[in-house]
Amino acid sequence: MTQVIPHTPLLRSKLPAVGTTIFTVMSALAAERGAVNLGQGFPDFDCDPTLVNAVTEAMQRGLNQYPPMPGVPVLREAVAAKLAKLHGHHYNPNTEITITAGATQAIITIILAVVHPGDEVIVLEPCYDSYVPNIELAGGTAVRVPLTPGTFRPDFDKIAAAITPKTRAILINSPHNPSATVWTEADMRKLQDILAPTDVLLISDEVYEHMVFDGKLHYSAARFAGLAARAFIVSSFGKTFHVTGWKVGYVAAPAALSAEFRKVHQFNVFTVNTPVQYGLATYMADDRPYLDLPAFYQRKRELFRSGLAGTRFKLLPSEGTYFQCVDISHISDLNEADFCKWLTTEIGVAAIPLSAFYGNGFDQRVVRFCFAKKDETLMAALQRLAKL
Ligand SMILES: Cc1ncc(COP(=O)(O)O)c(C=O)c1O
């Protein structure tokens, strides 16, 4: 009998540059130091019990087996009805709406479905951390175009200049994480004009679609015929209904694009949690939970901003999302990442450096707080930050 010496084969990493993210580092540090965690973007309050009851009821009714691959029809219909009502674009729920395991799975599945080795995909930095690794896993190249430093507005000359014959898609995100800016109607029209003569696809990450403040509107790509015809629109029930841990979202796209998306989706997750889908469909019969969301978060934004007003943080605008960015340059000479570590350990409040959202770690002395927190959590953080 030959002696077996167990060994684990060495791997050649597909994502050699990916390590532990700053989100994990900051959350661990916050927990260790008992800091108020305004770093990672998730609510610390519970969702509406009506939603929990709707999901519980679906489980009790025995809706616990595999649903249809693209999602349960009632939820796809509810999503299509919402998109038609809010944006005037009629998606066919049978062929153009797919329920996903959150926006993260939606985005990687879109990218795997459309990006071929050698393709370029434009991302606008700072951007959500999954985009670039997703593109690289598909064998594509991420072409990073900066949003204008200071204002984080899209620079359409730079975007237009980045388009080449190899460009397969552009990925946009409004309302925007981390900068909390919101694209205007004029921005969307400009993008539509730039893309019109091309075959570039649009991946529109709209997970914060229901968090736009000051009476302004969310300009979904669905509102612009020239964009909708080439767009995968991605959203997340987790963000909208305070259930980030449920990981359910959707993709809306023209039938031809949805068909390709579903080919990958069915071998990626195949289907998504059945009772949660039925519960969401029941809950969506009432539109108030998402229509009331801007007022709900705007009040928290005001509470947080008015508390920070007495500090030396310079507040950047927060037009949407549940994030507030601040300029730290009047408080400290530290770089963003070191400042966040110092803030967590010495002041007891965790934040996220914007440099974490850039491939080259670009440091502009701005950090991000999340205000999707109970009022008492925000007050506790403000009390600590008041000394700055
Ligand atoms: C811009 C952006 N896109 C996508 C996601 C992921 O959403 P989900 O939790 O539904 O996967 C997030 C979550 O933080 C986000 O900020």
Side-chain angles (χ1 to χ4, degrees), residues 76-147:
R76 282 186 275 133
E77 283 155 18
V79 169
K82 178 172 81 91
L83 287 166
K85 188 178 77 175
L86 296 181
H87 306 306
H89 188 97
H90 293 265
Y91 286 96
N92 180 330
N94 291 326
T95 55
E96 300 188 317
I97 306 281
T98 309
I99 307 303
T100 61
T104 311
Q105 183 250 318
I107 294 166
I108 191 167
T109 305
I110 295 165
I111 290 172
L112 290 174
V114 305
V115 174
H116 293 259
D119 285 352
E120 293 175 357
V121 180
I122 297 172
V123 296
L124 307 180
E125 282 194 324
C127 66
Y128 186 59
D129 61 349
S130 74
Y131 298 167
V132 171
N134 287 178
I135 295 162
E136 290 172 352
L137 279 174
T141 304
V143 175
R144 303 163 191 267
V145 174
L147 294 166

Side-chain angles (χ1 to χ4, degrees), residues 300-319:
K300 289 196 180 287
R301 181 193 68 167
E302 292 315 306
L303 175 76
F304 191 53
R305 282 177 73 89
S306 58
L308 287 181
T311 69
R312 285 175 296 152
F313 284 120
K314 188 171 147 246
L315 300 185
L316 276 60
S318 171
E319 301 171 337

Side-chain angles (χ1 to χ4, degrees), residues 3-76:
Q3 197 195 352
V4 173
I5 303 171
H7 80 284
T8 304
L10 281 180
L11 292 183
R12 188 161 64 88
S13 176
K14 285 196 157 187
L15 295 172
V18 171
T20 310
T21 72
I22 188 78
F23 304 94
T24 311
V25 172
M26 292 310 304
S27 285
L29 194 59
E32 186 190 309
R33 297 303 178 114
V36 182
N37 191 354
L38 303 189
Q40 228 176 341
F42 63 89
D44 73 343
F45 45 85
D46 211 351
C47 67
D48 186 345
T50 311
L51 177 55
V52 174
N53 290 340
V55 173
T56 309
E57 204 176 291
M59 287 182 180
Q60 286 167 343
R61 277 168 52 210
L63 298 168
N64 297 307
Q65 307 309 326
Y66 293 129
M69 182 272 284
V72 303
V74 279
L75 183 56
R76 282 186 275 133

Side-chain angles (χ1 to χ4, degrees), residues 31-321:
E32 186 190 309
R33 297 303 178 114
V36 182
N37 191 354
L38 303 189
Q40 228 176 341
F42 63 89
D44 73 343
F45 45 85
D46 211 351
C47 67
D48 186 345
T50 311
L51 177 55
V52 174
N53 290 340
V55 173
T56 309
E57 204 176 291
M59 287 182 180
Q60 286 167 343
R61 277 168 52 210
L63 298 168
N64 297 307
Q65 307 309 326
Y66 293 129
M69 182 272 284
V72 303
V74 279
L75 183 56
R76 282 186 275 133
E77 283 155 18
V79 169
K82 178 172 81 91
L83 287 166
K85 188 178 77 175
L86 296 181
H87 306 306
H89 188 97
H90 293 265
Y91 286 96
N92 180 330
N94 291 326
T95 55
E96 300 188 317
I97 306 281
T98 309
I99 307 303
T100 61
T104 311
Q105 183 250 318
I107 294 166
I108 191 167
T109 305
I110 295 165
I111 290 172
L112 290 174
V114 305
V115 174
H116 293 259
D119 285 352
E120 293 175 357
V121 180
I122 297 172
V123 296
L124 307 180
E125 282 194 324
C127 66
Y128 186 59
D129 61 349
S130 74
Y131 298 167
V132 171
N134 287 178
I135 295 162
E136 290 172 352
L137 279 174
T141 304
V143 175
R144 303 163 191 267
V145 174
L147 294 166
T148 307
T151 63
F152 301 99
R153 306 306 319 176
D155 180 332
F156 288 104
D157 291 336
K158 287 207 170 95
I159 291 172
I163 296 175
T164 74
K166 288 186 178 169
T167 309
R168 176 71 56 192
I170 176 168
L171 223 161
I172 66 168
N173 168 222
S174 174
H176 183 244
N177 175 14
S179 74
T181 52
V182 175
W183 284 33
T184 63
E185 182 176 7
D187 289 334
M188 297 301 281
R189 287 203 186 287
K190 189 85 196 151
L191 181 68
Q192 181 170 245
D193 291 346
I194 290 172
L195 298 185
T198 74
D199 276 334
V200 174
L201 296 165
L202 174 62
I203 305 168
S204 188
D205 180 343
E206 304 186 10
V207 298
Y208 299 102
E209 59 175 331
H210 297 296
M211 298 169 208
V212 177
F213 309 133
D214 306 312
K216 302 227 173 83
L217 283 181
H218 165 58
Y219 287 99
S220 172
R223 285 178 174 248
F224 304 87
L227 292 178
R230 64 177 74 233
F232 291 93
I233 293 171
V234 177
S235 192
S236 168
F237 296 106
K239 304 286 181 193
T240 302
F241 297 135
H242 317 308
V243 286
T244 57
W246 289 8
K247 298 297 290 184
V248 183
Y250 63 83
V251 172
L257 302 187
S258 287
E260 282 306 309
F261 174 84
R262 288 176 179 184
K263 283 185 195 172
V264 180
H265 177 78
Q266 73 177 338
F267 295 126
N268 182 328
V269 291
F270 183 48
T271 54
V272 174
N273 192 311
T274 306
V276 167
Q277 290 194 59
Y278 279 107
L280 284 165
T282 305
Y283 188 64
M284 283 177 72
D286 182 1
D287 57 11
R288 278 171 305 176
Y290 60 83
L291 293 182
D292 291 348
L293 207 58
F296 173 82
Y297 274 124
Q298 187 167 327
R299 194 192 62 76
K300 289 196 180 287
R301 181 193 68 167
E302 292 315 306
L303 175 76
F304 191 53
R305 282 177 73 89
S306 58
L308 287 181
T311 69
R312 285 175 296 152
F313 284 120
K314 188 171 147 246
L315 300 185
L316 276 60
S318 171
E319 301 171 337
T321 73

